[in-house]
Amino acid sequence: MDQSLQRLVSYSYDLGSFTFEPLGEGLIHDTFLLNSPKGKFVLQGFNTSVFRFPDRIASNLSHLKSDLDGKALPFILPLPKSTQEGNEILRFEDKLYRLFDFVEGVTVQETSDPTLAFIAAEAYGAFAQATAENDLSHYQETIPDFHRLDCRFEQLQQAAESKESWTEEEENILRFYLSQEPLIEKYKQETQSFPLRVTHNDTKINNLIFSEKLHQVAALIDLDTVMAGYLMYDFGDLVRTVACSRSETQTDWENLQLNSEIFEALLKGYISGLGQEVNAEELESLLFGGEVMTALMGLRFFTDHVLGNIYYRVHYPEQNLHRAKNQMILLRDQQQKRNQLRDIWEKIVPTRQ
Ligand code: GN1
Ligand code: MG
């Protein structure tokens, strides 16, 4: 971190002198843990090419704060701290920064433990429950069309037109994603009648901070994509990232599959967190969410590969291709397991309708 930035951060938040180290596994923002005489903080360098509307985020977060005021949430939602001048965003040269309190606890990148999956899903369900009454007109789109599966499909089609040479593997992956048109059609049809809600929209397990012994969720973080969405987005991203035997960065394809035991724990946990705030159609939509979100992320990773890795941070040139292949295998497995997943769903859901 640049010394002038260190001085500015120290002065703006009245921290004194601090040490810092990189933090987390996010693909978008740069994040540091700061150790200061005033305690530990998280400094986040804001990615403005991805989040082009920082003011919308600030506005959504301030509405979230006031909408939830007085509601007893079982976890913390860390919001950006104000500078001494009263701003939640700090400008340095052409970059933006935000500071958060550091929440003590444990982060988990993946799990095969159904109890932990239940706890994670229950927290995201509780978030949807707590925000169920919020006025949606307060929440602006922080990234336009972020979870629109049909738009992501079109973006791949467009990107593919401009690419001249393809390897055999790239062609296979392209063919697979283009063959998902029926899924896109089903998405367009069904979402016409789903109610919009305040959703988190990035419900990976590593956006939760667990208590030391992993018994409960201490904080739900990464709130920049909080905006209007469907419940199936949040539940689906949990399925995509938690009910998979290998994380999205891994490449041992033979061992990559949907873990139906974890799927069951997620569904139970999410429904438990939601409480009564859910209608029959939304419950049905949860079954479809995993496929939607896996297809969506696969399309996004593959499009980014085709465009030359302009969006996601990569550690090697083929990484987005590999992420897209990983999501393809997971999606295919979910589609092969549709009946099995429906049986699980029927076992859990009917008593609640
Ligand atoms: C990005 O940076 P991170 O890990 O919080 C992305 C999510 C994806 C995720 C995939 C703004 O989130 O949509 O699900 O990578 N966030 C944005 O790991 O694009
Ligand atoms: Mg995120």
Side-chain angles (χ1 to χ4, degrees):
M1 192 190 308
D2 187 291
Q3 284 207 344
S4 330
L5 172 61
Q6 280 183 58
R7 276 197 298 275
L8 180 67
V9 169
S10 164
Y11 164 76
S12 304
Y13 297 99
D14 191 20
L15 297 184
S17 67
F18 59 81
T19 57
F20 63 91
E21 59 192 87
L23 183 72
E25 311 253 334
L27 301 188
I28 306 292
H29 295 311
D30 297 321
T31 312
F32 300 95
L33 171 64
L34 312 190
N35 241 308
S36 83
K38 299 259 169 80
K40 288 183 183 173
F41 298 90
V42 174
L43 180 72
Q44 194 183 60
F46 199 83
N47 184 328
T48 41
S49 61
V50 167
F51 288 100
R52 290 183 289 122
F53 308 103
D55 296 345
R56 294 187 189 177
I57 297 178
S59 158
N60 286 0
L61 294 182
S62 93
H63 280 295
L64 186 66
K65 188 176 178 186
S66 53
D67 288 347
L68 292 178
D69 194 31
K71 286 207 172 151
L73 270 179
F75 41 75
I76 304 169
L77 296 175
L79 296 174
K81 298 182 78 67
S82 294
T83 61
Q84 301 211 70
E85 286 85 29
N87 301 319
E88 267 124 35
I89 295 179
L90 181 69
R91 269 172 210 279
F92 175 69
E93 295 177 344
D94 56 353
K95 282 204 78 172
L96 306 181
Y97 292 84
R98 294 177 304 173
L99 191 78
F100 299 84
D101 283 322
F102 175 75
V103 180
E104 288 292 346
V106 182
T107 51
V108 171
Q109 297 306 323
E110 52 197 284
T111 186
S112 52
D113 173 5
T115 306
L116 199 61
F118 180 98
I119 293 171
E122 193 177 41
Y124 285 117
F127 176 80
Q129 206 258 356
T131 55
E133 306 284 299
N134 293 13
D135 183 348
L136 274 178
S137 68
H138 290 159
Y139 293 84
Q140 306 177 57
E141 266 194 313
T142 62
I143 301 181
D145 299 331
F146 190 49
H147 282 343
R148 282 279 302 274
L149 188 62
D150 49 338
C151 299
R152 299 297 187 177
F153 188 75
E154 281 164 24
Q155 283 161 8
L156 175 61
Q157 286 173 313
Q158 273 171 20
E161 278 168 24
S162 63
K163 183 170 161 70
E164 282 164 11
S165 63
W166 295 76
T167 64
E168 198 183 326
E169 182 163 56
E170 287 172 331
E171 266 177 11
N172 287 338
I173 296 175
L174 178 67
R175 210 169 301 122
F176 171 80
Y177 282 112
L178 295 182
S179 78
Q180 290 300 314
E181 205 156 359
L183 183 74
I184 317 298
E185 284 309 314
K186 182 168 147 86
Y187 165 87
K188 285 205 287 200
Q189 282 299 320
E190 301 208 344
T191 49
Q192 283 172 16
S193 57
F194 292 161
L196 278 169
R197 291 167 167 267
V198 176
T199 44
H200 178 281
N201 295 311
D202 193 7
T203 56
K204 300 192 291 194
I205 200 163
N206 65 11
N207 278 332
L208 298 172
I209 297 173
F210 292 90
S211 62
E212 284 302 333
K213 293 194 170 149
L214 299 176
H215 288 161
Q216 62 193 61
V217 168
L220 201 157
I221 63 170
D222 200 0
L223 303 170
D224 297 337
T225 49
V226 168
M227 55 182 146
Y230 304 116
L231 279 192
M232 71 159 170
Y233 291 160
D234 278 1
F235 181 69
D237 213 28
L238 274 164
V239 173
R240 179 184 83 78
T241 58
V242 188
C244 54
S245 58
R246 292 289 181 276
S247 75
E248 71 186 14
T249 53
Q250 294 191 31
T251 54
D252 55 338
W253 319 120
E254 311 72 43
N255 295 315
L256 173 52
Q257 53 172 315
L258 182 95
N259 181 334
S260 41
E261 191 191 357
I262 297 288
F263 174 86
E264 178 166 349
L266 291 175
L267 190 58
K268 285 181 179 157
Y270 197 65
I271 290 176
S272 156
L274 279 174
Q276 301 303 317
E277 297 285 348
V278 57
N279 68 33
E281 200 184 15
E282 284 183 300
L283 282 171
E284 170 88 29
S285 79
L286 300 183
L287 201 44
F288 181 42
E291 285 189 37
V292 168
M293 293 307 291
T294 311
L296 183 112
M297 279 312 304
L299 287 166
R300 292 178 63 195
F301 286 143
F302 194 50
T303 305
D304 200 32
H305 169 74
V306 171
L307 295 177
N309 304 325
I310 55 177
Y311 187 95
Y312 292 111
R313 186 176 297 139
V314 287
H315 302 293
Y316 59 93
E318 304 304 307
Q319 190 164 21
N320 276 319
L321 178 70
H322 289 164
R323 287 169 177 151
K325 181 170 174 180
N326 171 307
Q327 299 293 288
M328 172 181 86
I329 296 169
L330 182 64
L331 176 56
R332 198 183 269 149
D333 197 44
Q334 286 177 72
Q335 294 181 332
Q336 278 161 4
K337 289 179 175 154
R338 272 182 188 157
N339 291 340
Q340 191 190 342
L341 299 182
R342 179 164 284 281
D343 288 346
I344 293 171
W345 182 90
E346 278 171 0
K347 205 170 68 182
I348 296 168
V349 168
T351 54
R352 303 193 42 88
Q353 287 181 336

